[in-house]
Amino acid sequence: KNERGIGMKISVVSFTRAGAEKNLELTGLLQSKNHQAASYSWHTYTGRRLIPFQSAELLFADLWKGQELIILLGRMDQVIQKIAPLIGGRRKGPAVALMDEDARFLIPLLEGAFFGLEEWCRWFSAQCCASCVWTMGTEREERFGAEAFAKKNALCIQDPFRIGAVSACLDAGIPVGIYSDYPIEGVLPEGLIPVGGAGFAGMKVSASVPETGISVTDDWEAPHFIKECRMFPKNLVAGMYCTDGAVASKAEQALKKGLAENHLSRERLLSLHGVKTHGFEAVKKAGKLLGVPVFFLDEDSLPPGEKPVWERVCLSGKEVATLLFTCRNQEQTAFSIYEKKTVLHF
């Protein structure tokens, strides 16, 4: 054997029709690299060069004695449920790796007696254009939690029920994608695959997009995953100016309409800012209707400049913010929306 494990005894085991078709393709690839590869398929999906089986337990008992590597093909969650009881606690025997039925991801599950499995899997994933997800190790890091990540970064979760889908995938060793419009600092947690966005600028992103993923974005018109857990930061601040005759409810509705027209989620609003000498009560009540804290400045405390009051009132010299838009409503209400610089952390 050389550094690529040439001449290994490898069994490819599939459980679905799509997996059976991919089984033959992968076995052919392995054989072309001088491996002793054989194809096993669930008896419902068989054909020439596919060895049928009806019991995963009996098949594993047989393969465990003479193989060096077993590659499992199928829907990852179902394969994990079927196979985990059969390999749990085993140390001696063949290595075990898992691939989805489209062969997009390769996940080593059990090293067995095969030293160098990580290197071999990275080599093989390159041969079949798959992404290798390494989840093994004697000391596993604490598993990534989407809810904890959102809480740590003060993110709003649009669809909390999607948290369960993300957690189920990570628990089963199935890769989860992550997209972010905001920079993310820290080490990428185990099990996450970056697929794009400003958060991963300069990093190599995966060309294969997992079915389930996390999107840190406020763009609801462009989902990045079939099963998407979308979250976004509360990083918008509003400066508001009201005349003495302004009605709070109309000011609130005008601001909400402005956010919607600019495709910004109302839940991203962090705070409202006003000037004590201009529509104090209307701004205060509008903030209460919006459910956000309200902060007031004296007019002589405003940052200097020629910008309108409603643009200057929510600025400070220390924070970095970008003006997104300004709106005036029938001369009674004017407001501006700023986006504060946001950096997330794993």
Side-chain angles (χ1 to χ4, degrees):
K1 300 174 185 178
N2 62 20
E3 62 179 0
R4 300 303 180 200
I6 300 302
M8 290 176 57
K9 294 180 180 179
I10 302 175
S11 292
V12 182
V13 182
S14 54
F15 296 85
T16 64
R17 179 178 298 279
E21 294 174 353
K22 185 61 69 173
N23 190 329
L24 292 173
E25 180 183 328
L26 294 178
T27 302
L29 174 61
L30 289 167
Q31 291 171 347
S32 72
K33 303 297 181 181
N34 298 320
H35 289 296
Q36 300 176 45
S39 299
Y40 293 86
S41 176
W42 185 249
H43 65 97
T44 308
Y45 315 107
T46 188
R48 193 168 66 90
R49 294 181 290 127
L50 285 169
I51 305 170
F53 69 93
Q54 297 186 38
S55 168
E57 185 175 0
L58 293 177
L59 177 66
F60 263 69
D62 184 49
L63 297 180
W64 211 262
K65 300 173 183 177
Q67 298 299 294
E68 295 173 87
L69 173 63
I70 300 173
I71 299 176
L72 307 173
L73 270 173
R75 291 182 54 185
M76 289 187 166
D77 52 346
Q78 294 181 353
V79 173
I80 287 288
Q81 291 175 1
K82 289 180 180 179
I83 299 305
L86 304 180
I87 65 175
R90 293 181 183 263
R91 294 297 177 189
K92 296 181 179 180
V96 180
L98 171 65
M99 293 193 84
D100 62 296
E101 58 188 8
D102 296 320
R104 296 180 303 165
F105 301 101
L106 174 64
I107 306 175
L109 295 179
L110 188 68
E111 189 169 25
F114 180 18
F115 297 102
L117 177 62
E118 177 176 2
E119 183 185 358
W120 188 91
C121 285
R122 295 193 189 283
W123 167 79
F124 182 60
S125 63
Q127 300 299 306
C128 55
C129 300
S131 295
C132 187
V133 183
W134 188 252
T135 62
M136 296 173 60
T138 54
E139 294 186 8
R140 297 287 301 276
E141 65 181 60
E142 184 178 351
R143 181 172 285 115
F144 172 81
E147 194 167 8
F149 171 72
K151 185 176 181 181
K152 179 179 180 178
N153 292 284
L155 301 175
C156 296
I157 302 174
Q158 184 188 31
D159 301 312
F161 70 93
R162 291 292 191 195
I163 291 290
V166 170
S167 299
C169 287
L170 292 173
D171 289 343
I174 300 172
V176 170
I178 182 167
Y179 172 95
S180 177
D181 282 335
Y182 306 93
I184 305 182
E185 295 185 350
V187 179
L188 186 70
E190 179 183 339
L192 293 187
I193 294 184
V195 300
F200 304 103
M203 287 181 59
K204 182 179 179 181
V205 298
S206 174
S208 300
V209 179
E211 181 181 77
T212 302
I214 298 166
S215 287
V216 187
T217 179
D218 196 23
D219 185 1
W220 60 80
E221 296 180 348
H224 299 279
F225 308 96
I226 295 175
K227 297 179 180 177
E228 182 171 82
C229 179
R230 191 167 71 90
M231 48 185 74
F232 42 80
K234 292 176 72 70
N235 64 344
L236 299 182
V237 292
M240 181 172 283
Y241 172 93
C242 291
T243 62
D244 291 336
V247 179
S249 59
K250 291 184 177 180
E252 176 227 5
Q253 292 300 319
L255 194 150
K256 290 169 70 174
K257 181 181 178 182
L259 291 171
E261 289 177 345
N262 286 272
H263 304 285
L264 299 170
S265 296
R266 149 71 187 86
E267 291 80 7
R268 288 182 60 190
L269 192 61
L270 178 65
S271 59
L272 184 62
H273 300 253
V275 180
K276 291 180 180 179
T277 53
H278 298 284
F280 177 87
E281 288 299 327
V283 174
K284 182 179 178 180
K285 291 179 181 178
K288 187 175 182 179
L289 291 172
L290 290 164
V292 296
V294 184
F295 301 93
F296 290 96
L297 288 177
D298 294 319
E299 193 164 0
D300 56 5
S301 299
L302 290 173
E306 298 180 357
K307 292 182 178 181
V309 169
W310 52 90
E311 290 187 15
R312 288 185 287 149
V313 72
C314 54
L315 293 177
S316 70
K318 297 180 180 180
E319 291 185 317
V320 178
T322 301
L323 177 64
L324 298 184
F325 70 92
T326 291
C327 181
R328 297 195 65 165
N329 181 29
Q330 297 178 348
E331 301 299 326
Q332 289 190 324
T333 302
F335 62 88
S336 62
I337 299 293
Y338 279 84
E339 181 179 44
K340 297 174 67 174
K341 182 179 180 180
T342 301
V343 178
L344 308 179
H345 298 84
F346 282 124

